Amino acid sequence: MLAAILVVAAVLLAFVGIGLRAEPGSGLGPADWAALRFTVVQALLSAFFSVILAVPLARALARRDMPGKRLLVTLLGAPFILPVIVAVLGLLAIFGRNGLVNQLFGVLGLPEVSIYGLHGVVLAHVFFNLPLATRLLLQGWQSIPGEHFRLVAQLDLPPAMVFQTLERPMLRQILPGAAALIFVICLTSFAVALTLGGGPRATTIELAIYQAFRFDFDLSRAAFLSILQLILAGAAAVLALRIIPDIPMGAGMDRRVKRFDARGGLQRAIDALCILLGGVFLLGPLLAVTLSGLAGLGQMPATVWQAAFTSLWVAALSVAVMLALALPLAGWIAIRDKGGAEAVGLIGLSASPLMLGVGWFILINPIADPVALSLPVTAVVNALMALPFALRIMVPGVRSALTGYGRLCVTLGLSSFQTWRWLILPRARAQIGFAAGLTGALSVGDLGVIALFSDPDRTTLPLQMYRLMSAYRTEAAAGAALLLLFMALAVFWICDRGGRWNADV
Amino acid sequence: MLTFKHVQIGQGDFRLAAHLTVRKGRRVAVIGPSGAGKSTLLGAVGGFVPLISGALSIDGQDVTDARPGARPVSMLFQDNNLFPHLTIAQNAGLGLRPALRLNDDETARLSHALERVGLAGLQNRRPGELSGGQQSRAALARILVQNRPVVLLDEPFAALGPALRREMLDLVRALATETGATLMMVTHAPEDVQRIADDVIFVEGGQAQAPEPAAALMDNPPPALRAYLG
């Protein structure tokens, strides 16, 4: 209960701060309209392409049983913990000015393509959300009973008919929700827009908040834009909430459905091509970062190590805050019917990091130096952003512990503290560790609110890396990217393993 | 002594009436057709099913509205009687002290109880490492250290084979005799009744009948019980 109040209070305080300073003034200026339009257009395009491209990939993965498939499906979960700025650097290595694609185009005598602008932003969003869409669709394919595939095999239906009778109805159910989820996620995009967008024609509202705050230090305009962002994301989240599906967090693919159809050579070739292209698109940038990062490791300035250390303790603080909020909330939601989790999810989807940052800055500014508090604020905002995901992961574990053994605890007369100690923590620790790992990795890699109020002495690794990129110190940035990637994976791995270590439940 | 005074128990649409007394130290079998409300009756004593009306008292103390943990009752369910992630000693020890910080006296009582049910030397195993019979013994060790005046068994041995079940019933009988606890046990099998029960409560048609001596009742059952026994 207390945790729920704290979460709501943290968000409401930010609203209060924004409300104090926002002056509608002359309403929406042309630049604001452009930001609003760009935000919506890029989110629509990102959602559309992510979902459309996910269909053949998920279809191929669903009907092929091949070595390494499990690994590939697990890798589809990686973007959750992949720092945005690392992925951007990877995409630049492939699609950037000196990237592989442009080198190839140069050899072929084709004109150079630029990754900056709308298509670059959409490309990066597709990179992050194609895996999510694929996992959601795979879940849909797995929800088709194996008996149905047996039946179409018995009837010897051609692939087109299988698609019509089984797959199209399923897609019609899942696609709108998946697209809505990605649309809402992309509405609050900041780091991608910061690195690949910019300029009057490619600025999201979130980026506009940052620019108003950072370059003009126009607090009332930043607050006004925050309200615009809140209305847009909040309205979209409310509309989308009914159709947004559950996000699959585990490795998936527990259930094997035997497929008898799609054995022809053409179908086989199409599937192989889809999986190959998908794999190259998703793994290529990561491979590029790793290779150039290895070369750049030696060229990193000492500030990188300092920032890395800062990032680690921000992540640790963030995990602690998340656990302090999520554990009681999960216990509270688990004994209730649905509803509570949805409300928290709604807050998480509509409250954007920069909006929270601006709101808190306005409130803190008269009392204390916000820059001095930038790291704790970053940790708390990261925890709030991770909270909806953490709850989705933890609540089922807590709920199943309580349904199985709650009666036993009651008859033993265990207090609520003892029930946590002897029942819930031991039984849900795999889920708790997983949620802590996700939060830690998200926090390590987050480039959001820290960019708002930071000074050269207080930077996290993602911000330091962004500064190196802006200064065209590409090798050093690549080294920092590799370090950041390693840290995010290590934080996730340690927490996740810690939850499952020595557990035989 | 366990007294149901004009009790109406309700769970959803289901209603069960009980107006009866179980004498102290008796071993009572609760029998009746499936869905008649045997588990509901035990659940009401344990505090898991609320009473609609009437009063329930144990040894003269009114427990009608008491929390399950505050009642002088220990209970074994059909399953999930042991935490799978805790050792046998921890599982049984929770019956002594929920914080599990046992003093010397309690530690001695715990090891005595484990010895008594035949689990000496297995205290550091987890339930998954034991056989079904041993798991039942561990649960009984906890009942033993809890040392409550009323013990409720809601078919905890249903999943065991016949020989093992008989073994457990003999153990339950011996433990109940040693502690002087009043025992209420749900069962389907007439041979269980003969093996362990002094009295029988027959539950049928929304009514729990007053306990009657087992031997006489089973030898000469009234028509409804005869129909159930077949």
Side-chain angles (χ1 to χ4, degrees), chain A residues 404-405 407-414 418 421-423 426-427 502 504-505, chain B residues 48 68-69 75 77 80-86 94 98-100 126 142 146:
Chain A
Y405 299 94
R407 235 175 18 165
L408 178 55
C409 290
V410 169
T411 176
L412 288 170
L414 300 190
Q418 284 153 350
R421 177 167 170 205
W422 298 121
L423 173 68
R427 294 218 55 90
N502 208 4
D504 58 350
V505 291
Chain B
F48 294 102
M75 184 165 186
F77 308 103
N80 292 357
N81 286 306
L82 300 171
F83 294 113
H85 50 276
L86 300 182
L94 281 176
L100 271 188
R126 295 191 185 179
R142 195 185 65 228
Q146 280 184 284

